Amino acid sequence: MPKLHPDLENREFWYKDITLIPNRLPDFERDEVDLTTNFTKNIILKTPFVSAPMDTVTEAEMAILMALTGGIGVIHYNFQTIDEQIKEVEKVKRFEAGFVFNPIVVSPENTIQDVYNISEKYGFFSMPITEDGTLNSKLVGIVTRRDVRYRKDMETKLSQVMTPRERLVVAKKSETVDRNDPLSADRILREHNLDTLPIINEEDKVVALVTDSDIRKTEKYSLATKNENKQLRTFIAVESRMALAKERIGKGSDAGVDGIVIDASVVFKEQLEIAKWTKENFPKLEVVLGNIGSAEIVERILKEASQYCDAFRLGMGPGAACITQQELGTGRAQASAVWDCSQAVKRLEPKYGFIPIIADGGIKIPDLIDTDIAKPGDITKALALGAQTVMMGSLLAGLDESPGQKEFDYEENRMVKKYRGMGSIEAMEKRGALRYGIEKMKIRIPEGKVIEVPYRGSGYDFIPQLIAGIKQSLQKQGFKNIKELQEEADIRPI
Ligand code: XMP
C-alpha cells in the first residue's frame, strides 16, 4: 500500500497539491527503470501514455506516434461519417515503420525541376517512375538524388536520367509487406547497397517504398505496441448511444481496431449495455468505460458489468479545456479521484478481479512558455496514486502529429496550435454534442473551451524525453517499476 498522508485523507487534492517523498536509496540507473503497465485487462504497454480521443489530438498520425513509442492512441469520432474515422484506423493498421505506402511517383515525362519541387515540399529525392505517373500503372524506373545532383538543365526529362526497370532491384510484396517484415527489405537494401527499394505486386505496380533512412528509424522503436500480427494497436472512441455505437463498433472491428472507449463526460447507464453487446458480438475487442470519478460508481459498475469492462477511464472535469467544474459545479480534483477509485478497485479485486485505471486529464507542464522541456511530475503522481496509464490531451495537442496547423501568436510571440474541448460550442457544432448527451437539445451549455497550446515540435523527440523524465522520477524515489511505486510511494501534501 502506498502511504497517503492523513492530511490528505478527507479533502480534495490536485496533482499540484502533493509531492512524492524519496525515501529509498537507489542502487540502479535511470534507464533500468521499466514502465511496463496494463492499458486494459489484456493489453500491455511499455509506456503508460494514452492520447485522448479529441479532434485536436488523435487521428492516425498521433495514434502511430503513440503506438511506436510504447503507448496507445484513441481515435476521436468527431467526423461527419463513421467511414472517416475508420480510415484513420486503417492507416494505423497498415503502417509498418520502414514501409512507405502510397509513395509519391512521377512519370518519365516529368523533369528534373519537378523532382526538385517535390523534394522541397516533402524532403526526399527518391521517386519511383511509372508509365503514367500514378500508382495505377507499371513501374518503369526510379530517380534518386544521385541521378540529378550534377545536372544543369532542369528541363531534362526523367526518361533520360532514371535507372530503368531492367536495371532496378525490386522486392516482391508477397515476400515483404505481406509478411510485415521490413527486415527482409533491409537485407536487400544492404546486399545491393541501395538507398531506396520499390516493393511491387504481381502486376509490376508499386505498392510501397523502403528507404535506408526509414529502416534505421524502425530500429529505434523497440517499445512499440503491436498485436500478434505485428500491427500497431489503436482504439476508437464510440458514442454512448447503442443505436449509434453498434455500426461504428462493427466497422471498427472489421478494420482491426483493438478496442473501444465508450465516450461520455460522465459514465452513462447505456454504456453498460453497449459493453455487454460488444463483448457478446466482438469478444476480442477490449472495452473501456468512463468517465468515472468516485469509488461509489466504480463499485456499482463492477457489480453490474465487471465481466464486460477492461479498463476504467477516470476524470470528472480536470482537463485543460474543461469548464464543467466552473460552469456546473460538479466534478472532482483529479488526484483524489484517482486515489479514491484505485483504492476501491484494489479493495474489490478479490471479488471482481483486476481492472486497470486510466487517469484522464489534468496532466500539465507547469510552465507552458517553457516548451522544450517535458516535465513529467504529474504523470508520476497519477501512477503513484494508483493509475496504470494516463490519458493526455493538451500536452500532446502541440505536437506535429496532432491534427491542425501550427500558427504564430503575435501577442505571445511564439508558435502555437489550437486545442479544443469536445464540449466546446465549436466542437459540438460538428458532432461533439454526443459526448455530452445534448445533440437534440436546443439549449446547449458548453462544457469546454478553445485554447492555444505551445507548439512542441515532433513527438518523436518529445515523447522519449517524457519517458526519460518519468524513469528519472522513479529512479530518484528508488523504484524500478510502476508496481513498486504503487506499493510504496510516500504521498504528502505540499
Ligand atoms: P487534458 O488536461 O489532458 O485533458 O487536456 C484531456 C481530457 O479532457 C476531457 N475533455 C473535456 N472535458 N469538457 C470537459 O469537461 C470538454 O469540452 C472536454 N473535452 C475533453 C477528456 O476526458 C480528455 O481526455
Side-chain angles (χ1 to χ4, degrees), residues 154-208:
M154 289 293 130
E155 292 313 309
T156 306
K157 295 245 162 84
L158 296 182
S159 51
Q160 293 176 36
V161 299
M162 69 185 188
T163 307
R165 175 71 181 89
E166 55 278 14
R167 283 202 275 122
L168 265 190
V169 179
V170 296
K172 288 191 184 140
K173 175 172 175 275
S174 56
E175 289 165 13
T176 50
V177 171
D178 291 349
R179 292 186 194 162
N180 253 326
D181 185 9
L183 292 183
S184 58
D186 184 39
R187 277 192 292 278
I188 305 176
L189 277 173
R190 283 170 198 238
E191 208 175 292
H192 297 275
N193 192 22
L194 302 169
D195 295 327
T196 310
L197 177 70
I199 312 277
I200 53 162
N201 62 17
E202 323 73 60
E203 296 166 18
D204 222 21
K205 292 178 183 166
V206 181
V207 294

Side-chain angles (χ1 to χ4, degrees), residues 52 54 313 319-320 322 324 360-362 393-394 419 421-423 435-436 447-448:
M54 300 175 71
R313 180 179 173 199
C322 297
T324 311
D360 171 24
S394 54
Y419 174 61
M422 298 311 293
R435 179 170 205 268
Y436 297 84
E447 290 190 40

